Amino acid sequence: MKNACLLPLSLLTGLLLTGCGANPSSSAPASTPGTSGPLPQASECRPAGALSFSAVAVTGEAAPPGNWATPHVPGEVLVLTGRRLSAQATSALGGVSTLAVADGLLLARTPVGEADAAFARRLTQAGLQTQPNYRYFSLAPSDPGFPGNRGVRVGDRAYHQTYLTRIGAAQAWQTLDAAGRSRNGVLTAVLDTGADRQHPELAGRLLTGCTFDNRGGFTVGAPEVSASSSQGRGHGTGSAGLIGANTDNQEGLSGVLWRGNLLPVKVLGDDGASTVSLVGGLNYAAAQGARVINMSLGAPGKLSDPVLDRAITQAAQRAVLVAAAGNTSGDGIYFPASHPAVIAVGALGREDHLACYSARPGAASGSRQLDIVAPGGNAGTRDGVSTSGPGCLVSGPDDLLTLSATDQGSYVLRAGTSEAAPLVSGVASLMWGANPDLSAAEVRARLLASTRQVGTLKMLDAKAAVEAALK
């Protein structure tokens, strides 16, 4: 049996994007004509007596309340004084810089050379009630590409990751926060063209990884394919970025996973992938403990590849396997997405129906259905263009904003089931991170049972998937 040549399933490397610069000035805007009403007086900002904090008596050697390991404003301690200070409390606060925040509530500056917790303990021993000045954050990440932020610009237009809104990523993160769970997911492997380790959006995220070639060779490391490669330099970097670009770092994009490690496994070389390279990559990813394995690659046709079939079956016992379904509408679902142990991912266009290029049931894959769909970019999908014929595969502004190699501009618009699959992999990783006690089969089952029905399709719903994992 010959090795089947498998190709990356990204249609377009369209418009190269350049990341925006620093945040705009946060200074107050100048007044504009038409503004009504007088400006508030300073006293209105902190009215007397609106809130009153009573003190609770504290005696003995009790530790200061509050979790001082939780993010808080350094160099400050909140002190509930009540209406009166005892002589001991007055003495403890002697020489300390304080600010009255509200009636009975002081913000005390920690003396130089003293730790916040130690200062709080000293005040507690003087009979005062203390706590940290905890920090709170916007639930939306600061990355320019996240919807509602300034965008990542190309020419005179800013692009946003509208696909994160469509899958409910922010709501999934909020659900994790409410449950006290991490937004970082579990170790996720990306079997692809490698990844650009120099990309700032992947800094600190990528493990070393390995490269597997079509003749059984392997090397340590997983660099991107060459610029002349037919596999598309930056394809793997884009897949990795959709799953786990550094998030809330005020740069570029948000990933589905905020932090944590990604395992790049290069199985697509300049001459594509093969049975041998994929088996090597799957074996390596499973041995490294990857719990989710993304494969944005495939080959059309009814393949009989018992070696790869067996490797997939074994890997699926310990990991959730996700694959792009394919980028032609008339060839059925590509392999390995058509394998029953793999989650086959189709692509939605701008609207909630299949993109014109997305693989769909039929042809060589027979009755094999798409397991799930996710945004993959529009690429010419419109009324009257529902299959990969004339008018389809045209790059446009409604394709997915993702990463590219740094020597290609760092950001790019792409479209394909290659882009839809990593979104599913990222959500599966969030689910397993939320509930590490689940098995691979349970994560898969709960993910597919939590989809949102759009017509006859089952669309990825990140919030519902995370909620299902937590049950």
Side-chain angles (χ1 to χ4, degrees):
M1 179 191 69
K2 294 183 178 179
N3 283 337
C5 182
L6 289 92
L7 304 175
L9 298 180
S10 215
L11 294 175
L12 308 169
T13 306
L15 305 172
L16 294 179
L17 308 181
T18 302
C20 297
N23 283 326
S25 172
S26 60
S27 58
S31 60
T32 56
T35 300
S36 61
L39 292 175
Q41 299 299 311
S43 60
E44 295 180 35
C45 296
R46 185 172 290 166
L51 296 177
S52 181
F53 294 84
S54 60
V56 177
V58 179
T59 60
E61 296 294 321
N67 183 357
W68 291 91
T70 298
H72 61 279
V73 179
E76 296 179 354
V77 173
L78 282 173
V79 183
L80 282 77
T81 62
R83 295 293 182 180
R84 282 186 168 185
L85 286 176
S86 68
Q88 186 181 14
T90 302
S91 175
L93 288 171
V96 173
S97 175
T98 61
L99 173 68
V101 177
D103 288 350
L105 180 64
L106 292 179
L107 182 65
R109 313 293 183 186
T110 303
V112 176
E114 191 170 9
D116 294 337
F119 177 45
R121 180 184 296 276
R122 182 159 60 84
L123 296 179
T124 300
Q125 291 170 348
L128 291 166
Q129 185 180 354
T130 65
Q131 71 161 65
N133 184 12
Y134 290 113
R135 296 190 65 189
Y136 293 84
F137 305 92
S138 165
L139 295 177
S142 61
D143 310 287
F146 189 81
N149 295 340
R150 66 181 183 273
V152 176
R153 300 191 68 85
V154 55
D156 59 354
R157 177 166 180 172
Y159 291 86
H160 294 87
Q161 296 172 275
T162 54
Y163 51 88
L164 292 179
T165 301
R166 292 177 70 186
I167 68 171
Q171 290 78 10
W173 298 331
Q174 292 168 20
T175 301
L176 289 166
D177 293 345
R181 308 299 169 86
S182 170
R183 299 180 177 187
N184 299 342
V186 293
L187 180 61
T188 303
V190 184
L191 273 60
D192 216 297
T193 62
D196 184 357
R197 302 189 69 83
Q198 304 306 311
H199 203 297
E201 289 281 60
L202 298 176
R205 305 298 298 279
L206 299 175
L207 300 181
T208 301
C210 281
T211 295
F212 298 89
D213 65 33
N214 292 342
R215 290 164 294 280
F218 63 90
T219 55
V220 175
E224 269 285 359
V225 292
S226 66
S228 61
S229 172
S230 62
Q231 306 308 303
R233 178 170 171 81
H235 186 272
T237 300
S239 296
L242 289 166
I243 296 169
N246 278 322
T247 302
D248 203 27
N249 63 344
Q250 301 184 30
E251 183 172 359
L253 310 183
S254 302
V256 176
L257 309 179
W258 280 45
R259 300 286 185 271
N261 289 326
L262 301 174
L263 179 65
V265 185
K266 185 175 177 179
V267 296
L268 283 162
D270 288 347
D271 53 351
S274 69
T275 301
V276 168
S277 69
L278 279 172
V279 169
L282 284 169
N283 181 61
Y284 170 71
Q288 294 301 306
R291 310 301 295 274
V292 179
I293 299 176
N294 186 83
M295 298 179 286
S296 289
L297 49 81
K302 189 173 180 60
L303 296 181
S304 176
D305 192 342
V307 171
L308 182 55
D309 185 277
R310 182 176 298 181
I312 289 171
T313 300
Q314 292 184 17
Q317 294 175 6
R318 62 176 76 179
V320 175
L321 273 58
V322 179
N327 288 341
T328 53
S329 61
D331 297 315
I333 297 172
Y334 290 23
F335 190 81
S338 60
H339 190 287
V342 176
I343 296 176
V345 184
L348 298 174
R350 179 179 56 243
E351 309 297 336
D352 286 346
H353 53 76
L354 280 180
C356 59
Y357 55 82
S358 178
R360 55 205 73 197
S365 63
S367 61
R368 176 67 162 99
Q369 300 294 306
L370 293 169
D371 291 307
I372 195 169
V373 295
N378 204 55
T381 303
R382 63 185 188 278
D383 290 344
V385 181
S386 58
T387 60
S388 50
C392 188
L393 315 184
V394 178
S395 179
D398 294 309
D399 295 340
L400 264 62
L401 176 62
T402 185
L403 306 184
S404 187
T406 50
D407 61 356
Q408 295 179 321
S410 297
Y411 302 95
V412 69
L413 293 180
R414 293 185 188 271
T417 55
S418 274
E419 282 59 57
L423 300 178
V424 175
S425 292
V427 172
S429 187
L430 283 180
M431 292 175 66
W432 219 338
N435 188 351
D437 293 331
L438 296 176
S439 67
E442 288 172 327
V443 173
R444 173 193 169 103
R446 295 188 190 195
L447 171 66
L448 298 183
S450 64
T451 54
R452 177 167 62 88
Q453 198 73 27
V454 289
T456 60
L457 303 171
K458 297 179 178 180
M459 182 177 175
L460 177 66
D461 186 330
K463 178 178 183 289
V466 167
E467 288 175 338
L470 290 169
K471 291 181 179 177

